[in-house]
CSV table of all heavy atoms in Angstrom, one decimal:
chain,number,residue,atom,x,y,z
A,1,MET,N,0.8,-1.2,0.0
A,1,MET,CA,0.0,0.0,0.0
A,1,MET,C,0.9,1.3,0.0
A,1,MET,O,0.6,2.2,-0.7
A,1,MET,CB,-0.9,0.0,1.2
A,1,MET,CG,-2.1,-1.0,1.1
A,1,MET,SD,-3.0,-0.9,2.6
A,1,MET,CE,-4.3,-2.1,2.2
A,2,ILE,N,1.9,1.3,0.8
A,2,ILE,CA,2.8,2.4,0.9
A,2,ILE,C,3.5,2.6,-0.5
A,2,ILE,O,3.6,3.7,-1.1
A,2,ILE,CB,3.9,2.3,2.0
A,2,ILE,CG1,3.2,2.3,3.3
A,2,ILE,CG2,4.9,3.4,1.9
A,2,ILE,CD1,4.1,1.9,4.5
A,3,LYS,N,3.9,1.5,-1.1
A,3,LYS,CA,4.7,1.6,-2.4
A,3,LYS,C,3.8,2.0,-3.5
A,3,LYS,O,4.2,2.9,-4.3
A,3,LYS,CB,5.3,0.3,-2.7
A,3,LYS,CG,6.2,0.3,-3.9
A,3,LYS,CD,7.0,-1.1,-4.0
A,3,LYS,CE,7.9,-1.1,-5.2
A,3,LYS,NZ,8.7,-2.3,-5.2
A,4,HIS,N,2.6,1.4,-3.7
A,4,HIS,CA,1.8,1.7,-4.8
A,4,HIS,C,0.6,2.6,-4.6
A,4,HIS,O,-0.1,3.0,-5.5
A,4,HIS,CB,1.2,0.3,-5.3
A,4,HIS,CG,2.3,-0.6,-5.7
A,4,HIS,ND1,3.0,-0.5,-6.8
A,4,HIS,CD2,2.8,-1.7,-5.1
A,4,HIS,CE1,4.0,-1.4,-6.9
A,4,HIS,NE2,3.8,-2.2,-5.9
A,5,GLY,N,0.4,3.0,-3.4
A,5,GLY,CA,-0.8,3.9,-3.0
A,5,GLY,C,-2.1,3.1,-3.1
A,5,GLY,O,-2.0,1.9,-3.3
A,6,ILE,N,-3.2,3.7,-2.9
A,6,ILE,CA,-4.5,3.1,-2.9
A,6,ILE,C,-5.4,3.8,-3.9
A,6,ILE,O,-5.7,5.0,-3.8
A,6,ILE,CB,-5.1,3.0,-1.5
A,6,ILE,CG1,-4.2,2.3,-0.5
A,6,ILE,CG2,-6.5,2.3,-1.6
A,6,ILE,CD1,-4.7,2.4,0.9
A,7,LYS,N,-5.8,3.1,-5.0
A,7,LYS,CA,-6.6,3.7,-6.0
A,7,LYS,C,-7.9,4.3,-5.5
A,7,LYS,O,-8.5,3.8,-4.6
A,7,LYS,CB,-7.0,2.5,-7.0
A,7,LYS,CG,-6.3,2.5,-8.3
A,7,LYS,CD,-6.8,1.5,-9.2
A,7,LYS,CE,-5.8,1.0,-10.2
A,7,LYS,NZ,-6.2,-0.2,-11.0
A,8,MET,N,-8.3,5.4,-6.1
A,8,MET,CA,-9.6,6.1,-5.8
A,8,MET,C,-9.6,6.5,-4.3
A,8,MET,O,-10.7,6.7,-3.8
A,8,MET,CB,-10.8,5.1,-6.1
A,8,MET,CG,-10.8,4.5,-7.4
A,8,MET,SD,-10.9,5.8,-8.7
A,8,MET,CE,-12.5,6.4,-8.6
A,9,SER,N,-8.4,6.8,-3.8
A,9,SER,CA,-8.4,7.4,-2.4
A,9,SER,C,-7.3,8.5,-2.5
A,9,SER,O,-6.6,8.6,-3.5
A,9,SER,CB,-8.0,6.3,-1.3
A,9,SER,OG,-6.6,6.2,-1.2
A,10,ALA,N,-7.1,9.2,-1.4
A,10,ALA,CA,-6.1,10.2,-1.3
A,10,ALA,C,-4.7,9.6,-1.1
A,10,ALA,O,-3.7,10.3,-1.1
A,10,ALA,CB,-6.4,11.2,-0.2
A,11,MET,N,-4.6,8.3,-0.9
A,11,MET,CA,-3.3,7.7,-0.5
A,11,MET,C,-2.4,7.6,-1.7
A,11,MET,O,-2.6,6.9,-2.6
A,11,MET,CB,-3.6,6.3,0.1
A,11,MET,CG,-2.3,5.5,0.4
A,11,MET,SD,-1.4,6.3,1.7
A,11,MET,CE,0.1,5.4,1.7
A,12,PRO,N,-1.3,8.4,-1.6
A,12,PRO,CA,-0.4,8.4,-2.7
A,12,PRO,C,0.6,7.2,-2.8
A,12,PRO,O,0.7,6.5,-1.8
A,12,PRO,CB,0.4,9.7,-2.5
A,12,PRO,CG,0.2,10.2,-1.1
A,12,PRO,CD,-0.9,9.3,-0.5
A,13,ALA,N,1.2,7.0,-3.9
A,13,ALA,CA,2.2,5.9,-4.1
A,13,ALA,C,3.6,6.5,-3.8
A,13,ALA,O,4.1,7.4,-4.5
A,13,ALA,CB,2.2,5.4,-5.5
A,14,TRP,N,4.2,6.1,-2.7
A,14,TRP,CA,5.5,6.6,-2.3
A,14,TRP,C,6.6,5.9,-3.0
A,14,TRP,O,7.8,6.3,-2.9
A,14,TRP,CB,5.7,6.5,-0.7
A,14,TRP,CG,4.6,7.3,0.0
A,14,TRP,CD1,3.5,6.7,0.7
A,14,TRP,CD2,4.4,8.7,0.1
A,14,TRP,NE1,2.8,7.7,1.2
A,14,TRP,CE2,3.3,8.9,0.9
A,14,TRP,CE3,5.2,9.8,-0.3
A,14,TRP,CZ2,2.9,10.2,1.2
A,14,TRP,CZ3,4.7,11.0,-0.1
A,14,TRP,CH2,3.6,11.2,0.7
A,15,GLY,N,6.3,4.8,-3.7
A,15,GLY,CA,7.4,4.0,-4.3
A,15,GLY,C,8.1,4.7,-5.4
A,15,GLY,O,9.2,4.4,-5.8
A,16,THR,N,7.6,5.8,-5.9
A,16,THR,CA,8.2,6.5,-7.0
A,16,THR,C,9.4,7.4,-6.4
A,16,THR,O,10.3,7.7,-7.1
A,16,THR,CB,7.2,7.5,-7.7
A,16,THR,OG1,6.6,8.3,-6.8
A,16,THR,CG2,6.2,6.7,-8.5
A,17,ARG,N,9.3,7.7,-5.1
A,17,ARG,CA,10.3,8.6,-4.5
A,17,ARG,C,11.1,7.9,-3.5
A,17,ARG,O,12.1,8.5,-3.0
A,17,ARG,CB,9.6,9.9,-4.0
A,17,ARG,CG,9.3,10.9,-5.0
A,17,ARG,CD,8.6,12.1,-4.5
A,17,ARG,NE,7.2,11.7,-4.3
A,17,ARG,CZ,6.3,12.4,-3.5
A,17,ARG,NH1,6.8,13.4,-2.9
A,17,ARG,NH2,5.1,11.9,-3.4
A,18,HIS,N,10.8,6.7,-3.1
A,18,HIS,CA,11.5,6.0,-2.0
A,18,HIS,C,11.9,4.6,-2.4
A,18,HIS,O,11.0,3.9,-3.0
A,18,HIS,CB,10.7,6.0,-0.7
A,18,HIS,CG,10.3,7.3,-0.2
A,18,HIS,ND1,11.2,8.2,0.4
A,18,HIS,CD2,9.1,7.9,-0.1
A,18,HIS,CE1,10.6,9.3,0.8
A,18,HIS,NE2,9.3,9.2,0.5
A,19,ASP,N,13.1,4.2,-2.2
A,19,ASP,CA,13.5,2.8,-2.5
A,19,ASP,C,12.8,1.8,-1.6
A,19,ASP,O,12.2,2.2,-0.5
A,19,ASP,CB,15.0,2.6,-2.6
A,19,ASP,CG,15.7,2.9,-1.3
A,19,ASP,OD1,15.0,2.9,-0.3
A,19,ASP,OD2,16.9,3.1,-1.3
A,20,ASP,N,12.9,0.5,-1.9
A,20,ASP,CA,12.3,-0.6,-1.1
A,20,ASP,C,12.8,-0.5,0.4
A,20,ASP,O,12.0,-0.8,1.3
A,20,ASP,CB,12.5,-1.9,-1.7
A,20,ASP,CG,11.6,-2.2,-2.9
A,20,ASP,OD1,10.8,-1.3,-3.3
A,20,ASP,OD2,11.7,-3.2,-3.6
A,21,ALA,N,14.1,-0.3,0.5
A,21,ALA,CA,14.6,-0.4,1.9
A,21,ALA,C,14.0,0.7,2.7
A,21,ALA,O,13.6,0.5,3.9
A,21,ALA,CB,16.1,-0.2,1.9
A,22,THR,N,13.8,1.9,2.2
A,22,THR,CA,13.2,3.0,2.9
A,22,THR,C,11.7,2.7,3.2
A,22,THR,O,11.2,3.0,4.3
A,22,THR,CB,13.3,4.3,2.1
A,22,THR,OG1,14.7,4.5,1.8
A,22,THR,CG2,12.8,5.5,3.0
A,23,THR,N,11.0,2.1,2.2
A,23,THR,CA,9.6,1.7,2.4
A,23,THR,C,9.5,0.7,3.5
A,23,THR,O,8.6,0.9,4.4
A,23,THR,CB,9.0,1.2,1.1
A,23,THR,OG1,9.2,2.2,0.1
A,23,THR,CG2,7.6,0.9,1.3
A,24,TRP,N,10.4,-0.3,3.6
A,24,TRP,CA,10.3,-1.3,4.7
A,24,TRP,C,10.6,-0.6,6.0
A,24,TRP,O,10.1,-1.0,7.1
A,24,TRP,CB,11.2,-2.4,4.4
A,24,TRP,CG,10.7,-3.4,3.5
A,24,TRP,CD1,11.2,-3.7,2.2
A,24,TRP,CD2,9.5,-4.2,3.6
A,24,TRP,NE1,10.3,-4.7,1.6
A,24,TRP,CE2,9.3,-5.0,2.4
A,24,TRP,CE3,8.6,-4.4,4.6
A,24,TRP,CZ2,8.3,-5.9,2.2
A,24,TRP,CZ3,7.5,-5.2,4.4
A,24,TRP,CH2,7.3,-6.0,3.2
A,25,SER,N,11.4,0.4,6.1
A,25,SER,CA,11.7,1.2,7.3
A,25,SER,C,10.4,1.8,7.8
A,25,SER,O,10.1,1.9,9.0
A,25,SER,CB,12.8,2.2,7.1
A,25,SER,OG,14.0,1.7,6.8
A,26,MET,N,9.6,2.3,6.8
A,26,MET,CA,8.3,2.9,7.1
A,26,MET,C,7.4,1.9,7.7
A,26,MET,O,6.6,2.2,8.7
A,26,MET,CB,7.7,3.6,5.9
A,26,MET,CG,8.2,4.9,5.5
A,26,MET,SD,7.2,5.6,4.2
A,26,MET,CE,8.5,5.7,2.8
A,27,VAL,N,7.4,0.7,7.1
A,27,VAL,CA,6.6,-0.4,7.7
A,27,VAL,C,6.9,-0.7,9.1
A,27,VAL,O,6.0,-0.8,10.0
A,27,VAL,CB,6.7,-1.7,6.8
A,27,VAL,CG1,5.9,-2.9,7.4
A,27,VAL,CG2,6.1,-1.4,5.4
A,28,ALA,N,8.2,-0.8,9.4
A,28,ALA,CA,8.7,-1.1,10.7
A,28,ALA,C,8.3,0.0,11.7
A,28,ALA,O,7.8,-0.3,12.8
A,28,ALA,CB,10.2,-1.3,10.7
A,29,PHE,N,8.4,1.2,11.2
A,29,PHE,CA,8.0,2.3,12.1
A,29,PHE,C,6.5,2.3,12.4
A,29,PHE,O,6.1,2.4,13.5
A,29,PHE,CB,8.3,3.7,11.4
A,29,PHE,CG,7.9,4.9,12.2
A,29,PHE,CD1,8.6,5.3,13.3
A,29,PHE,CD2,6.8,5.6,11.8
A,29,PHE,CE1,8.2,6.4,14.0
A,29,PHE,CE2,6.4,6.7,12.5
A,29,PHE,CZ,7.1,7.1,13.6
A,30,LEU,N,5.7,2.0,11.4
A,30,LEU,CA,4.2,2.0,11.6
A,30,LEU,C,3.8,0.8,12.5
A,30,LEU,O,2.9,1.0,13.3
A,30,LEU,CB,3.5,1.8,10.2
A,30,LEU,CG,3.5,3.0,9.3
A,30,LEU,CD1,2.9,2.6,8.0
A,30,LEU,CD2,2.7,4.1,9.9
A,31,GLN,N,4.6,-0.3,12.5
A,31,GLN,CA,4.3,-1.4,13.4
A,31,GLN,C,4.6,-1.1,14.8
A,31,GLN,O,3.9,-1.5,15.7
A,31,GLN,CB,5.0,-2.7,12.9
A,31,GLN,CG,4.4,-3.3,11.7
A,31,GLN,CD,5.1,-4.5,11.1
A,31,GLN,OE1,6.4,-4.6,11.4
A,31,GLN,NE2,4.5,-5.3,10.4
A,32,LYS,N,5.6,-0.3,15.0
A,32,LYS,CA,6.0,0.1,16.4
A,32,LYS,C,5.2,1.3,16.9
A,32,LYS,O,5.1,1.4,18.1
A,32,LYS,CB,7.5,0.5,16.4
A,32,LYS,CG,8.4,-0.7,16.3
A,32,LYS,CD,9.8,-0.3,16.7
A,32,LYS,CE,10.8,-1.5,16.7
A,32,LYS,NZ,10.9,-2.2,17.9
A,33,LEU,N,4.6,2.0,16.1
A,33,LEU,CA,4.0,3.3,16.4
A,33,LEU,C,2.9,3.2,17.6
A,33,LEU,O,3.0,4.0,18.5
A,33,LEU,CB,3.4,4.0,15.2
A,33,LEU,CG,3.0,5.4,15.3
A,33,LEU,CD1,4.2,6.3,15.7
A,33,LEU,CD2,2.5,5.9,13.9
A,34,PRO,N,2.0,2.2,17.5
A,34,PRO,CA,1.0,2.2,18.6
A,34,PRO,C,1.5,2.0,20.0
A,34,PRO,O,0.9,2.5,20.9
A,34,PRO,CB,0.1,0.9,18.2
A,34,PRO,CG,0.4,0.7,16.8
A,34,PRO,CD,1.8,1.1,16.5
A,35,ARG,N,2.7,1.4,20.2
A,35,ARG,CA,3.2,1.3,21.5
A,35,ARG,C,4.4,2.2,21.8
A,35,ARG,O,5.1,2.1,22.8
A,35,ARG,CB,3.7,-0.2,21.7
A,35,ARG,CG,2.6,-1.2,21.9
A,35,ARG,CD,3.1,-2.6,21.9
A,35,ARG,NE,3.8,-3.0,20.7
A,35,ARG,CZ,3.2,-3.2,19.5
A,35,ARG,NH1,1.9,-3.2,19.4
A,35,ARG,NH2,3.9,-3.5,18.4
A,36,MET,N,4.6,3.2,20.9
A,36,MET,CA,5.8,4.1,21.0
A,36,MET,C,5.5,5.2,22.0
A,36,MET,O,4.4,5.8,22.0
A,36,MET,CB,6.1,4.6,19.7
A,36,MET,CG,7.5,5.2,19.6
A,36,MET,SD,7.9,5.8,18.0
A,36,MET,CE,8.0,4.2,17.1
A,37,THR,N,6.5,5.5,22.9
A,37,THR,CA,6.4,6.6,23.8
A,37,THR,C,7.2,7.8,23.1
A,37,THR,O,8.0,7.6,22.2
A,37,THR,CB,7.1,6.3,25.1
A,37,THR,OG1,8.5,6.0,24.9
A,37,THR,CG2,6.4,5.1,25.8
A,38,PRO,N,7.0,9.0,23.6
A,38,PRO,CA,7.8,10.1,23.1
A,38,PRO,C,9.3,9.9,23.2
A,38,PRO,O,10.0,10.2,22.3
A,38,PRO,CB,7.3,11.3,23.9
A,38,PRO,CG,5.9,10.9,24.4
A,38,PRO,CD,5.9,9.4,24.6
A,39,ASP,N,9.7,9.3,24.3
A,39,ASP,CA,11.2,9.0,24.5
A,39,ASP,C,11.6,7.9,23.5
A,39,ASP,O,12.7,8.0,23.0
A,39,ASP,CB,11.5,8.6,25.9
A,39,ASP,CG,11.5,9.7,26.9
A,39,ASP,OD1,11.5,10.9,26.4
A,39,ASP,OD2,11.4,9.5,28.1
A,40,GLY,N,10.8,6.9,23.3
A,40,GLY,CA,11.1,5.9,22.3
A,40,GLY,C,11.3,6.4,21.0
A,40,GLY,O,12.2,6.1,20.2
A,41,ASP,N,10.4,7.3,20.6
A,41,ASP,CA,10.4,8.0,19.3
A,41,ASP,C,11.8,8.8,19.1
A,41,ASP,O,12.5,8.6,18.1
A,41,ASP,CB,9.2,8.9,19.1
A,41,ASP,CG,9.2,9.7,17.8
A,41,ASP,OD1,9.3,9.0,16.8
A,41,ASP,OD2,9.2,10.9,17.8
A,42,LYS,N,12.1,9.5,20.2
A,42,LYS,CA,13.4,10.3,20.1
A,42,LYS,C,14.6,9.4,20.0
A,42,LYS,O,15.5,9.7,19.2
A,42,LYS,CB,13.5,11.1,21.4
A,42,LYS,CG,12.7,12.4,21.4
A,42,LYS,CD,13.0,13.3,22.6
A,42,LYS,CE,11.9,14.4,22.7
A,42,LYS,NZ,11.4,14.5,24.1
A,43,ALA,N,14.6,8.2,20.7
A,43,ALA,CA,15.7,7.3,20.6
A,43,ALA,C,15.8,6.8,19.1
A,43,ALA,O,17.0,6.6,18.6
A,43,ALA,CB,15.5,6.1,21.6
A,44,ILE,N,14.7,6.4,18.5
A,44,ILE,CA,14.8,5.9,17.1
A,44,ILE,C,15.3,7.0,16.2
A,44,ILE,O,16.2,6.7,15.3
A,44,ILE,CB,13.4,5.4,16.7
A,44,ILE,CG1,13.1,4.1,17.4
A,44,ILE,CG2,13.4,5.3,15.1
A,44,ILE,CD1,11.7,3.6,17.1
A,45,VAL,N,14.8,8.2,16.3
A,45,VAL,CA,15.3,9.3,15.5
A,45,VAL,C,16.8,9.6,15.7
A,45,VAL,O,17.5,9.7,14.7
A,45,VAL,CB,14.5,10.6,15.8
A,45,VAL,CG1,15.1,11.8,15.1
A,45,VAL,CG2,13.0,10.5,15.3
A,46,ALA,N,17.3,9.4,16.9
A,46,ALA,CA,18.7,9.7,17.2
A,46,ALA,C,19.6,8.6,16.5
A,46,ALA,O,20.7,8.9,16.1
A,46,ALA,CB,18.9,9.7,18.7
A,47,LYS,N,19.0,7.3,16.4
A,47,LYS,CA,19.8,6.2,15.8
A,47,LYS,C,19.8,6.2,14.3
A,47,LYS,O,20.5,5.5,13.7
A,47,LYS,CB,19.3,4.9,16.3
A,47,LYS,CG,19.9,4.5,17.7
A,47,LYS,CD,19.6,3.0,18.0
A,47,LYS,CE,18.1,2.8,18.3
A,47,LYS,NZ,17.7,1.4,18.6
A,48,ALA,N,18.8,6.9,13.7
A,48,ALA,CA,18.6,6.8,12.3
A,48,ALA,C,19.8,7.4,11.5
A,48,ALA,O,20.3,8.4,11.9
A,48,ALA,CB,17.3,7.5,11.9
A,49,PRO,N,20.1,6.9,10.3
A,49,PRO,CA,21.2,7.4,9.5
A,49,PRO,C,20.8,8.9,9.1
A,49,PRO,O,19.6,9.1,8.9
A,49,PRO,CB,21.2,6.6,8.3
A,49,PRO,CG,20.5,5.3,8.6
A,49,PRO,CD,19.5,5.7,9.7
A,50,PRO,N,21.7,9.8,9.1
A,50,PRO,CA,21.4,11.2,8.8
A,50,PRO,C,20.7,11.5,7.5
A,50,PRO,O,19.9,12.4,7.4
A,50,PRO,CB,22.8,11.9,8.8
A,50,PRO,CG,23.8,10.9,8.9
A,50,PRO,CD,23.2,9.6,9.2
A,51,ASP,N,20.8,10.5,6.5
A,51,ASP,CA,20.2,10.8,5.2
A,51,ASP,C,18.8,10.2,5.2
A,51,ASP,O,18.1,10.2,4.1
A,51,ASP,CB,21.1,10.2,4.1
A,51,ASP,CG,21.3,8.7,4.2
A,51,ASP,OD1,21.2,8.2,5.3
A,51,ASP,OD2,21.5,8.0,3.2
A,52,GLN,N,18.3,9.6,6.3
A,52,GLN,CA,16.9,9.0,6.3
A,52,GLN,C,15.9,10.1,6.7
A,52,GLN,O,16.2,10.8,7.7
A,52,GLN,CB,16.9,7.8,7.2
A,52,GLN,CG,17.4,6.5,6.5
A,52,GLN,CD,16.4,5.4,6.7
A,52,GLN,OE1,15.6,5.4,7.5
A,52,GLN,NE2,16.6,4.3,6.0
A,53,ASP,N,14.8,10.1,6.1
A,53,ASP,CA,13.7,11.1,6.5
A,53,ASP,C,13.2,10.8,7.9
A,53,ASP,O,13.0,9.7,8.2
A,53,ASP,CB,12.6,11.0,5.5
A,53,ASP,CG,13.0,11.5,4.1
A,53,ASP,OD1,14.0,12.2,4.0
A,53,ASP,OD2,12.2,11.1,3.2
B,101,HEM,C1,4.7,8.6,4.6
B,101,HEM,C2,3.4,8.8,4.7
B,101,HEM,C3,2.3,7.8,4.6
B,101,HEM,C4,2.4,6.5,4.9
B,101,HEM,C5,3.5,5.6,5.5
B,101,HEM,C6,1.0,5.9,4.7
B,101,HEM,C7,0.7,4.6,4.9
B,101,HEM,C8,-0.6,4.1,4.7
B,101,HEM,C9,-1.0,2.7,4.9
B,101,HEM,C10,-0.1,1.6,5.4
B,101,HEM,C11,-2.3,2.7,4.6
B,101,HEM,C12,-3.2,1.4,4.7
B,101,HEM,C13,-3.9,1.4,6.1
B,101,HEM,C14,-4.7,0.1,6.2
B,101,HEM,O1,-5.8,0.1,5.8
B,101,HEM,O2,-4.2,-0.9,6.8
B,101,HEM,C15,-2.8,4.0,4.2
B,101,HEM,C16,-4.1,4.3,3.9
B,101,HEM,C17,-4.5,5.5,3.5
B,101,HEM,N1,-3.7,6.6,3.3
B,101,HEM,FE1,-1.8,6.8,3.7
B,101,HEM,N2,0.2,6.9,4.2
B,101,HEM,C18,1.0,8.1,4.2
B,101,HEM,C19,0.5,9.3,3.8
B,101,HEM,C20,-0.7,9.6,3.3
B,101,HEM,C21,-1.1,10.9,2.8
B,101,HEM,C22,-0.2,12.1,2.7
B,101,HEM,C23,-2.4,10.8,2.5
B,101,HEM,C24,-3.4,11.8,1.9
B,101,HEM,C25,-3.1,13.1,1.6
B,101,HEM,C26,-2.9,9.5,2.7
B,101,HEM,C27,-4.1,9.0,2.6
B,101,HEM,C28,-4.5,7.7,2.9
B,101,HEM,C29,-5.9,7.2,2.7
B,101,HEM,C30,-7.1,8.1,2.3
B,101,HEM,C31,-5.9,5.9,3.1
B,101,HEM,C32,-7.1,4.9,3.2
B,101,HEM,C33,-7.5,4.4,1.8
B,101,HEM,C34,-8.7,3.5,1.9
B,101,HEM,O3,-8.6,2.4,2.5
B,101,HEM,O4,-9.7,3.9,1.5
B,101,HEM,N3,-1.8,8.8,3.2
B,101,HEM,N4,-1.7,4.8,4.3
């Protein structure tokens, strides 16, 4: 869904601008999001490579 978007909805296809590795990083982030605390979020951002969004 992230790569190709969802037809007839506002969901855009991010695959045109992001490679597969970045898209899988988004999937991992979305899976962790429901249990993430503000401090946990900051820790992930601090560990991310500088060139990752
Ligand atoms: C990096 C940013 C985004 C990510 C990672 C993302 C990811 C997703 C995912 C995984 C789904 C499927 C949810 C599910 O049903 O299980 C979804 C649905 C959707 N997204 Fe996004 N999304 C992003 C940004 C956006 C933006 C900017 C818009 C609109 C301006 C948008 C509009 C929608 C809509 C309308 C749906 C529901 C489509 C439907 O089932 O009818 N998304 N998105």
Side-chain angles (χ1 to χ4, degrees):
M1 285 176 179
I2 295 171
K3 185 171 182 174
H4 299 290
I6 301 173
K7 256 186 207 168
M8 307 301 286
S9 86
M11 177 64 189
W14 301 107
T16 55
R17 279 175 284 163
H18 300 290
D19 60 18
D20 283 358
T22 306
T23 303
W24 282 115
S25 294
M26 283 188 238
V27 172
F29 177 76
L30 289 173
Q31 285 176 337
K32 285 195 177 270
L33 198 55
R35 286 172 303 283
M36 198 179 289
T37 61
D39 284 347
D41 179 54
K42 280 187 195 133
I44 287 176
V45 171
K47 272 194 291 182
D51 61 335
Q52 278 225 348
D53 295 340

